[in-house]
Amino acid sequence: MYRYDQRIVVTLDAGGTNLVFSAMQGCKFIIEPITYPSNAQNLDLCLETMVKGFSEVIEKLPEAPVAISFAFPGPADYANGIIGGYLPNFPSFRDGVALGPFLSKKFGLPVYINNDGDLFTYGEALCGALPEINARLAEAGSPKRYHNMLGYTFGTGFGIGMVIDNRLNRGDNSCVETFCLPHKYNHEVIVEEGVAVRAIKRLYAEYSGNADHGFEPKEICEIAQGKRPGNMEAAKKAFTMFGEVAGDAMATAVTLVDGLIVIGGGITAAREFIMPALLKAMRGEMKTLRGETLRRVQMHVFDLDDPDEFDKFAHGDNRRIKVYGTEDYVNYDPMKRIGVCISKLGASQAISVGAYAYALSQIDSKENQ
């Protein structure tokens, strides 16, 4: 939708360690990123750094930007641009900071702030996985098209975003989340304890018997792949459990949304160990009190990165049925189906694209009112 748009939006990748400033045009970065320490412990210094970074970006642009748009990690009143609440990476914002209004007044531009999971999904829905999959369906001769998408980020947390009919659903409280669903094997614990960086490290420690291993998920993935010394079976088992717990939570969410799922984040490098367990959980079965067996997810679930599975997904169960009382026939495909894929844009790129597209969609919406 915005791949060829000529308007410029200033962006920010806000992390607890660094703030990375840049700008996009047509869903692509147009300047080299500018990086400064976040100074997240000191509110005055952090805000001063943001003003400095945005100012430097704007000075480098060939024309004036139409907005500032970015993701911020943690809870917020995103609709009003107010950041506050439990923010481990930005403790100085905990009591509430009107960041959007502050930046808008400073630069005379509309400022849009969203959750990173929301923007990841929005970017994938407009310029990433969703249009790519629909294009592949068209190429395969399938009439099927998708308009809904769930996006998940595997990282320090278990982030989610939801796009319905190509529109970002932020909810009424900017609180579309699944990190707080119950863990599959311990309903008193949130699912994020099983689907995050800390989960992989903890699970490897448990399965290997080495509580002081010191490995990060990337290194545990290398152990599982046989590229680094370590307990290979413990590493594989850690990612398998991660996938199983993630798949269980996804099954709940996708049953309500009925759309495609795209996954991003560094941990997806361990896809070969995560995805089989994730898909198995989503394809699981449940029983009624009458003893009937039903699929956990009512739609058939396909791995869209597997060529054979995509072929089955594209062709479904198409058949021709006769219209009662006539000689006419119509096409009928009774197979309800969804799919799961790994992000091709990458989480960081998708978040920036989402920030860009969200700003332009809001500007266009106001102009058309």
Side-chain angles (χ1 to χ4, degrees):
M1 183 184 298
Y2 294 110
R3 289 184 180 184
Y4 305 103
D5 202 296
Q6 293 304 298
R7 289 172 290 182
I8 297 174
V9 174
V10 179
T11 64
L12 165 65
D13 183 358
T17 302
N18 290 314
L19 300 175
V20 183
F21 304 86
S22 193
M24 299 198 94
Q25 183 180 47
C27 293
K28 295 180 179 178
F29 289 113
I30 58 172
I31 68 166
E32 288 297 314
I34 297 170
T35 303
Y36 285 111
S38 299
N39 300 305
Q41 303 281 345
N42 184 321
L43 180 60
D44 291 337
L45 190 53
C46 184
L47 295 179
E48 181 182 312
T49 303
M50 286 189 181
V51 171
K52 180 180 180 181
F54 284 130
S55 297
E56 290 188 18
V57 167
I58 291 171
E59 287 175 4
K60 292 177 178 289
L61 298 177
E63 59 186 78
V66 297
I68 293 172
S69 185
F70 60 97
F72 205 88
D77 176 2
Y78 289 114
N80 294 304
I82 301 173
I83 309 299
Y86 179 63
L87 294 154
N89 293 331
F90 283 85
S92 61
F93 284 72
R94 190 166 296 178
D95 293 331
V97 177
L99 182 59
F102 165 74
L103 292 173
S104 183
K105 187 170 183 178
K106 199 78 178 175
F107 292 100
L109 293 169
V111 176
Y112 303 101
I113 308 174
N114 281 286
N115 173 272
D116 52 0
D118 287 342
L119 292 183
F120 165 73
T121 309
Y122 198 53
E124 291 286 353
L126 293 189
C127 300
L130 189 58
E132 177 189 307
I133 290 165
N134 281 332
R136 290 173 66 193
L137 287 171
E139 185 179 342
S142 171
K144 192 82 171 172
R145 299 292 183 273
Y146 286 81
H147 307 92
N148 303 329
M149 174 165 274
L150 283 176
Y152 283 94
T153 53
F154 291 168
T156 54
F158 185 37
I160 186 177
M162 182 187 301
V163 170
I164 305 295
D165 196 21
N166 292 311
R167 294 177 179 272
L168 179 63
N169 174 28
R170 298 198 301 178
D172 291 326
N173 296 283
S174 299
C175 198
V176 176
E177 297 286 0
T178 55
F179 77 90
C180 49
L181 288 175
H183 189 291
K184 179 178 181 179
Y185 292 110
N186 185 349
H187 285 189
E188 294 182 357
V189 172
I190 62 171
V191 68
E192 188 172 272
E193 295 296 348
V195 192
V197 166
R198 62 185 181 275
I200 293 296
K201 295 163 71 172
R202 187 189 67 251
L203 289 168
Y204 180 77
E206 290 177 7
Y207 297 144
S208 68
N210 181 5
D212 302 318
H213 62 78
F215 293 126
E216 294 298 322
K218 181 178 183 295
E219 296 164 321
I220 297 172
C221 179
E222 291 172 352
I223 292 170
Q225 294 169 333
K227 298 177 180 178
R228 176 185 291 268
N231 190 322
M232 181 184 291
E233 289 308 310
K236 290 180 179 179
K237 192 174 177 182
F239 286 114
T240 296
M241 178 58 72
F242 178 104
E244 184 177 349
V245 175
D248 181 69
M250 290 178 176
T252 297
V254 80
T255 295
L256 299 175
V257 173
D258 186 9
L260 301 179
I261 296 176
V262 61
I263 305 169
I267 293 177
T268 58
R271 180 198 189 287
E272 62 190 293
F273 309 112
I274 293 171
M275 286 298 287
L278 187 153
L279 291 166
K280 183 178 179 181
M282 295 188 71
R283 293 166 176 166
E285 296 179 339
M286 302 183 76
K287 292 187 180 295
T288 69
L289 290 176
R290 297 183 298 276
E292 300 168 315
T293 299
L294 300 174
R295 288 193 298 270
R296 170 71 192 279
V297 175
Q298 290 302 291
M299 301 77 75
H300 292 273
V301 182
F302 290 90
D303 180 353
L304 301 182
D305 294 323
D306 182 303
D308 291 335
E309 289 208 22
F310 187 88
D311 185 65
K312 294 175 184 176
F313 168 78
H315 291 95
D317 186 19
N318 196 45
R319 62 185 76 168
R320 288 176 61 77
I321 60 173
K322 191 173 183 179
V323 178
Y324 181 78
T326 75
E327 296 302 316
D328 297 334
Y329 285 81
V330 295
N331 291 325
Y332 172 52
D333 185 350
M335 182 189 287
K336 298 176 175 64
R337 55 199 186 273
I338 58 166
V340 183
C341 66
I342 301 298
S343 169
K344 305 301 185 299
L345 293 176
S348 180
Q349 175 83 1
I351 289 168
S352 295
V353 169
Y356 176 77
Y358 184 80
L360 297 186
S361 71
Q362 294 302 296
I363 291 170
D364 291 344
S365 176
K366 290 178 181 176
E367 288 179 352
N368 293 329
Q369 286 179 354

